[in-house]
Every structure is written in C-alpha cells, then in structure tokens.
Amino acid sequence: MRLDHLSYAAGPEGLASCVQRLGSQLGAGFTDGGIHPRFGTRNFVLPLAGGIYLEVVEALDHPAVEAAPFGRAVKARKLAGGGWFSWVVAVDDLPAIEQRLGRQAVSGHRRRPDGYDLRWRQIGVLDTASDPQLPYFIHWESNRAEHPAAAGGMINLELLDIAGDRSTVVDFLGDRATRSLDDLKVRWLPVEDNDGETGIVAVHFTTPRGVVVVD
C-alpha cells in the first residue's frame, strides 16, 4: 500500500479556472487527463516527485454522474464550493481490500488525449463520501509506465493536514497497511477546528519557489 495521488475537486469556478489557479500557485502546468465515462467526470493531472500525482477533477453535466458513487461524491464537493476531495492509496492485493470492505471494486478508465486508454479498479469511495478523512483505494491495470506520475516532477509533497483521527484511519486501513504509509507526513487536526468536518484541510508542497500551501 502506498500513496498514489491526491484529488482536488473543482468548484463553481469550473475546471479550467481551478487548474489555472492551482498551477499558478505551484508554478507548474497540469495536463489534460481526459474523461472518465463511467463516472461522468474528467480531470487534469500534475506529476509530483516520488511516484505521486495531483489531480483536479470535475463532475460533468452527464447522467453517469448520478449513477456512480464517484461522480456523485465529486459533484457534492463541487456544490459545496470545491476543494480537497480525497487522498488515494494504491494497492496490489485488491481482493484483500474487497474482503475487508465487503463489496467489489468497480472498473474505471479514461482515454487520454494521446489516445491511450488508462485502466484501473477502485473501491472505498462510499467510505470517503461518508467520512472524508478516509482514503479510497486504487489498483492499476494499465502498464506501470503509463501511470500518471511515471514522468516524475520537481514538486514534492511535504505534509498533509487532515481534520480527523489517526486511529480511525488505522482501523480502516489496518495497522500493517498503515505502517507502509509511515513515510507520509500527516498532521491530524481537531475536527471541531474544521467546522466539524473531517477530511484534508491543506496540503504543503515543496516547489522550486519554496513551500506552497494549498487549502
């Protein structure tokens, strides 16, 4: 188990404006990731150092949004003003996660502008939607060389500020799995300081311009 990516939902400003704003803050350019037809969403991605990437995702005006938990969750975040949506961990042993959660993963894909069809399976979005401090899981089915962070980047993830409780996340992931994320720096903040809401509050990045905090 390892951190795979961070997900930021575009708000009423729209995807293009949100990507431009975050790119300006970080001093880097995002690339068009394409449409997720099963979920009714689309994203732009920015590779970070260490095999991690940042995505900005938006719910489209499409029937698939209401039919898919991911689409509904992204739309809800958009209607709430946008902002940090979730952190996502990659797993190799997907059946173990399916057994733990008691349900099957769903398939996802998006065709990039270069024509490559990127494929994966994901699970746990329902848990994220009900308690945003919890990550969801992804298992990549496409070639590792096609991973969104395969090209690497100059920006490092320094710190996650998450309103929530570490023990709750440990119980969700499992203690052994959580230890595999020990190199991920997380600062757990009181939920009451975040209007009673759990989830990512801010992310600290080390960039060529210095430390940038995106909240």
Side-chain angles (χ1 to χ4, degrees):
M1 185 176 292
R2 60 197 177 278
L3 180 65
D4 187 76
H5 66 277
L6 301 174
S7 186
Y8 189 100
E13 65 191 307
L15 183 61
S17 295
C18 184
V19 166
Q20 184 176 27
R21 173 172 59 83
L22 293 180
S24 178
Q25 282 183 263
L26 296 169
F30 286 75
T31 58
D32 186 356
I35 293 174
H36 313 119
R38 285 202 61 177
F39 308 145
T41 56
R42 72 173 300 160
N43 72 357
F44 274 68
V45 299
L46 174 66
L48 307 175
I52 305 166
Y53 70 96
L54 169 62
E55 76 164 350
V56 181
V57 63
E58 180 183 49
L60 303 173
D61 184 13
H62 191 280
V65 170
E66 299 301 333
F70 184 80
R72 293 196 302 270
V74 173
K75 180 179 179 180
R77 192 71 181 98
K78 175 181 180 178
L79 294 177
W84 288 110
F85 173 61
S86 187
W87 50 305
V88 186
V89 294
V91 295
D92 296 322
D93 188 3
L94 185 61
I97 301 299
E98 292 176 321
Q99 183 176 14
R100 174 188 286 273
L101 298 184
R103 57 184 181 273
Q104 297 294 305
V106 299
S107 297
H109 76 102
R110 58 179 170 85
R111 188 172 296 278
R112 298 185 316 214
D114 65 3
Y116 185 83
D117 195 29
L118 194 65
R119 293 185 172 273
W120 67 89
R121 292 177 65 79
Q122 66 186 48
I123 187 171
V125 172
L126 291 171
D127 304 276
T128 296
S130 63
D131 188 357
Q133 69 179 309
L134 302 177
Y136 67 91
F137 305 92
I138 190 167
H139 174 77
W140 291 99
E141 297 183 327
S142 294
N143 190 298
R144 196 176 191 87
E146 302 297 337
H147 186 271
M154 298 293 291
I155 297 174
N156 283 277
L157 170 62
E158 183 67 25
L159 175 69
L160 294 180
D161 286 334
I162 301 179
D165 176 60
R166 184 182 185 278
S167 64
T168 299
V169 175
V170 170
D171 288 344
F172 179 68
L173 296 177
D175 185 62
R176 181 179 177 184
T178 304
R179 287 199 298 272
S180 70
L181 296 171
D182 275 350
D183 58 343
L184 176 63
K185 297 179 183 177
V186 178
R187 180 164 56 190
W188 298 97
L189 305 178
V191 175
E192 54 268 26
D193 291 349
N194 192 45
D195 297 326
E197 300 290 334
T198 66
I200 297 175
V201 175
V203 180
H204 304 241
F205 298 94
T206 302
T207 78
R209 298 177 175 181
V211 175
V212 174
V213 180
V214 178
D215 54 16

